[in-house]
């Protein structure tokens, strides 16, 4: 037990890679090992620049669109999923596709198709420009309206008929709940997904921040700026009364943030590698926070299988993507 006067790092658990991210990184690593470079990847495989740069150094080629891939080459879809139009374009170019879409995102796509077949208007709760929302919207574009805020929910106009809602998997739990409350008040018969769409990892990392908030003076979340779940973690901390910052790595930490601070809570978004967390902790130790205490809120032990194309290949450790 550290002395009361000793400055501490409260290292939150669970943190970092979720099962969908581990699976996506493994898929790219195994494809490179099995087939050799180049392996093309549409968009960022996960939203973390360190992971993307490391995979690119091994021969992964990241492209924005299917048209950027030479005909007949291998293409991996990112963990965020793609619209049917992307799948059609890949088929037309004769691309050999490996799908790294997170199974929890696939679940939302399936729900969108089911609601569309029922001729429901789908209110998709999420951030309109996020890759995941773009992919889900593409499943039923004529039936779907994106809702990004309680204000959107209060003013959206829908055609006559039944209504359903879905959510992006990486939203703030509280943010989504606020929007859903407005939708339920306006559309009492609105159909919900059979199981909640916000993923277990997003919920667990937000819960850990809420649990530690009474003890923390500062929150540092390791993650890239375009990582939705990482952004939401900082927002949850702020709503819980803790000043927070989203950092790519230890080089983003400003000395002024640490002035007058005794307890720094550290976590990482679901696409941030543990190696970066370790670097942040070392930096904080050198900055006068010698005591490091891991604080676990909820056990987490979820794994997703690899796609059939790579079954039987040796499974790599997730840290391989950032060494």
């Amino acid at each position: 037990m550290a002395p009361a006067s000793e400055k501490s790092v409260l290292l939150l658990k669970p943190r970092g890679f979720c099962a969908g991210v581990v699976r996506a990184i493994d898929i790219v690593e195994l494809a490179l090992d099995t087939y050799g470079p180049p392996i093309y990847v549409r968009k960022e495989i996960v939203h973390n620049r360190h992971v993307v740069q490391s995979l690119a150094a091994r021969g992964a080629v990241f492209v924005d669109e299917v048209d950027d891939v030479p005909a007949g080459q291998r293409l991996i879809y990112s963990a965020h999923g793609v619209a049917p139009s992307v799948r059609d374009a890949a088929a037309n170019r004769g691309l050999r596709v490996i799908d790294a879409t997170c199974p929890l995102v696939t679940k939302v796509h399936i729900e969108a198709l089911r609601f569309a077949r029922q001729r429901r208007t789908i209110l998709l709760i999420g951030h309109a420009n996020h890759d995941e929302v773009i992919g889900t919207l593409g499943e039923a574009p004529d039936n779907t309206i994106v809702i990004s805020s309680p204000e959107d929910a209060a003013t959206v106009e829908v055609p006559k008929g039944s209504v359903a809602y879905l959510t992006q998997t990486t939203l703030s739990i509280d943010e989504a709940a606020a929007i859903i409350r407005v939708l339920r008040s306006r559309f009492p018969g609105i159909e919900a997904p059979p199981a909640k769409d916000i993923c277990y990892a997003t919920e667990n990392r937000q819960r850990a921040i809420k649990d530690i908030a009474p003890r923390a003076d500062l929150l540092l979340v390791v993650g890239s700026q375009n990582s939705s779940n990482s952004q939401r973690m900082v927002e949850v901390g702020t709503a819980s009364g803790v000043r927070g910052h989203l950092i790519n790595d230890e080089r983003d930490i400003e000395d002024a943030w640490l002035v007058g601070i005794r307890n720094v809570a550290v976590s990482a978004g679901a696409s941030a590698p543990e190696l970066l967390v370790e670097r942040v902790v070392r930096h904080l130790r050198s900055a006068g926070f010698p005591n490091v205490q891991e604080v676990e809120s909820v056990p987490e032990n979820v794994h997703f299988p690899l796609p059939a194309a790579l079954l039987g290949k040796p499974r790599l450790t997730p840290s391989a993507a950032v060494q």
Side-chain angles (χ1 to χ4, degrees):
M1 192 76 175
S5 60
E6 191 169 81
K7 295 182 177 182
S8 297
V9 176
L10 305 175
L11 189 55
L12 305 193
K13 187 178 179 181
R15 64 181 178 274
F17 282 171
C18 65
V21 165
V22 171
R23 177 179 180 272
I25 293 172
D26 278 359
I27 286 171
V28 179
E29 291 274 9
L30 288 171
L32 287 166
D33 289 344
T34 303
Y35 306 114
I39 296 292
Y40 291 85
V41 183
R42 185 181 180 274
K43 306 292 187 180
E44 294 186 344
I45 186 67
V46 298
H47 283 159
N48 185 273
R49 73 180 190 187
H50 291 270
V51 171
V52 170
Q53 289 170 354
S54 180
L55 292 172
R58 287 204 54 201
V61 179
F62 293 89
V63 298
D64 286 329
E65 299 301 339
V66 170
D67 289 346
D68 298 326
V69 183
Q73 291 295 310
R74 284 186 171 84
L75 172 66
I76 297 177
Y77 296 143
S78 79
H80 310 103
V82 299
S85 58
V86 175
R87 298 182 187 276
D88 292 342
N92 290 337
R93 293 185 65 76
L95 302 181
R96 291 171 285 180
V97 170
I98 303 173
D99 193 350
T101 302
C102 173
L104 299 180
V105 173
T106 299
K107 164 186 169 293
V108 180
H109 282 229
I110 292 170
E111 291 165 350
L113 288 170
R114 179 171 65 88
F115 286 147
R117 284 195 297 267
Q118 296 171 351
R119 300 186 183 279
R120 297 180 184 271
T121 297
I122 303 166
L123 301 179
L124 176 57
I125 302 170
H127 302 285
N129 295 324
H130 192 276
D131 289 337
E132 180 187 330
V133 170
I134 293 169
T136 304
L137 176 64
E139 295 287 2
D142 296 335
N143 295 64
T144 306
I145 302 171
V146 177
I147 303 293
S148 299
S149 66
E151 291 73 25
D152 287 349
T155 58
V156 64
E157 296 183 4
V158 301
K160 290 183 179 179
S162 56
V163 183
Y165 74 85
L166 298 170
T167 69
Q168 181 180 334
T169 63
T170 54
L171 292 182
S172 158
I173 300 292
D174 296 335
E175 174 188 23
I179 294 172
I180 292 168
R181 282 196 297 271
V182 176
L183 293 178
R184 288 192 183 281
S185 69
R186 292 194 61 205
F187 310 105
I190 192 169
E191 180 79 8
K196 61 186 176 183
D197 291 334
I198 295 177
C199 86
Y200 77 94
T202 297
E203 184 170 0
N204 290 347
R205 282 147 190 72
Q206 292 177 18
R207 173 179 167 182
I209 289 171
K210 290 180 179 180
D211 288 348
I212 205 64
R215 297 174 53 191
D217 306 305
L218 176 69
L219 169 67
L220 298 178
V221 175
V222 182
S224 292
Q225 293 295 322
N226 63 339
S227 167
S228 175
N229 78 87
S230 301
Q231 292 275 11
R232 305 294 83 74
M233 289 166 69
V234 175
E235 292 173 3
V236 166
T238 300
S240 300
V242 183
R243 177 166 55 91
H245 298 279
L246 179 60
I247 58 173
N248 285 296
D249 53 41
E250 77 284 359
R251 292 170 294 185
D252 288 344
I253 299 174
E254 298 182 15
D255 293 341
W257 297 350
L258 305 178
V259 174
I261 300 299
R262 193 175 76 178
N263 292 323
V264 180
V266 175
S267 189
S271 52
E274 182 67 11
L275 177 66
L276 300 183
V277 176
E278 294 170 357
R279 284 165 45 180
V280 167
V281 171
R282 285 198 298 270
H283 177 88
L284 291 172
R285 283 185 185 273
S286 68
F289 293 81
N291 180 52
V292 179
Q293 176 187 355
E294 191 167 64
V295 183
E296 183 174 19
S297 289
V298 57
E300 190 173 280
N301 186 25
V302 178
H303 301 282
F304 294 138
L306 293 169
L310 294 173
L311 284 178
K313 307 299 181 184
R315 188 173 178 83
L316 302 179
T317 58
S319 60
V322 290
Q323 291 177 347

